[in-house]
Amino acid sequence: MKKLIYLFALAAIVASCSTNPAFMVDGSIKGWKDGPVTLKKRIDGNWITVDSTQMKKGKFSFSGTVDVPGMYYVIPPSGRKDAIPFFLENSNIEITGNSDDPKDVEVHGSAAQDEFRNFYDRVDSINNQMSSYYEKYAKARSENDTTTSAHIEKELNDLYKIENDIQKAFVLDNPNSFVAPYILLQIQYGMDASELNSYVENFSADVMKTPSAQTLSMRIKKLEKVAVGQQAPDFTMNDADGKPVKLSDVYKQHKYLLVDFWASWCAPCRQENPNVVAVWQKYHNDGFGVMGVSLDAKKDAWMKAVKDDNLTWTQVSDLEGWKNSAADLYGVNSIPSNILLDQTGKIIAHNLRGDDLQNEISALLNNKK
C-alpha cells in the first residue's frame, strides 16, 4: 500500500513538472550566418545573457522559463547591431524574417508582443509623417532655407508631442500591462525622479518584475541622488591638457555654476551653446560660471567645437562618449543637459535652456545683491 501511495505521489510530481510554464522560441532568419546566437535582456544598460545556442542553416531555438513577460533580444553572430527585440513569455514563440529588412521580421505566439505591435500600429501614421518631415528638413537645411526649416521644426515638435502624449496615456491607463514599462523606458528621457516615479508607482507587482521596470527603478534611485536640493556628487575629470579638475573646486569659485553636458556631434547642443555663451558673458563678472562636460570620444572634434563656439570656460572630458563617468553619475541619458549649483554645491535647478537660463540667473544674482 505504501509503495502504491509513493507511485501516485511520484506520478503527481512528474505531471506537475511537465505542466510548469515554459517558453520555446524557434527562429528562422534568412541571411544570418551560422554561429553563436544569444538570448539577452537589458537592465540599467547592462546586457545580461539568458541563454545561448548555435545557429545552423539560419535556424535557432531557445527554451526556458521567465517569471513575467518582458522585452528580450536575440543577438545573432553579427552582433548587437542586428539584434531582434521581442516580448518573451512562457509560450511557444516563432520568429521569422530576413536579415536584409528588419521590418520583415515577424514574431508570433507572444500575447505581450501582439499588444506591443497593436499599440505601435496606432502611432505608425505619426511616425510616417515625421519621417517625411525629416527629409524635407534636411533639404531645407542644406539649402539654408531658414524659414522652411523653422516651420518644419514646429511641425515636428507638434507631432512629437502628440505621439508622446499617446505613449504617456497608455502607460498611465495600463498599469497591469507588461508592455507599459518598456514604452515608458522609451519616453523617460529628460524626466526627473519625481515625474518618472509618478508613472512607475502605479505598476502592479508583476509588472515591476520586468527588465524594463527594473531599469526604471534603478534610474529613479540614481536621479533621486541628483534631485533639486541634493548635494552635487563630486567628481574629478581631466581638461584638454590632461590636468585633473575637481567639480567642488570649481563651484566654490562661483556664486552659481552651470554644469553643462554636451558634445561636438550633438546638433541641439551646438544650437544652445550661443545662448549659454551670451548668459556667461553677461553675468560671469557677477559670479556666474560654467563647467562643460563633453561626451565626445575624439579630442580633436571636441577642441574644434570649443573654439568654434567660443566656449571659454572650464572644459573636461574622459573621451568615453556616452560612457562618460560624470554623465553616468548624474543620470544623464540625453544631451544637452545641465545642472545649476550654488557655491556650496547644492543642486538648485535642472536643464535650464534658452530664456529660462537667462531669467533664472538674473533672478538669482539680483536676489544675491
Side-chain angles (χ1 to χ4, degrees), residues 136-146 149-150 153 267 271:
K136 296 175 184 177
Y137 182 73
K139 184 175 183 295
R141 288 293 297 272
S142 67
E143 297 174 351
N144 292 319
D145 186 348
T146 56
S149 61
E153 279 185 22
Q271 291 170 4

Side-chain angles (χ1 to χ4, degrees), residues 197-211:
N197 191 57
S198 69
Y199 293 96
V200 173
E201 66 184 359
N202 294 322
F203 290 154
S204 68
D206 281 342
V207 169
M208 287 304 301
K209 296 177 183 177
T210 64

Side-chain angles (χ1 to χ4, degrees), residues 52-87:
S52 61
T53 187
Q54 287 288 322
M55 172 171 287
K56 297 180 180 179
K57 297 181 179 179
K59 297 183 182 295
F60 63 89
S61 64
F62 298 105
S63 62
T65 61
V66 290
D67 291 337
V68 293
M71 180 61 76
Y72 287 71
Y73 304 80
V74 174
I75 313 295
S78 56
R80 291 204 300 260
K81 63 183 178 64
D82 297 317
I84 295 177
F86 74 106
F87 276 86

Side-chain angles (χ1 to χ4, degrees), residues 283-304:
Y283 295 107
H284 78 275
N285 288 331
D286 296 324
F288 173 62
V290 181
M291 178 176 176
V293 181
S294 169
L295 273 65
D296 276 284
K298 297 179 180 179
K299 184 177 178 179
D300 289 346
W302 171 34
M303 290 295 94
K304 184 177 186 304

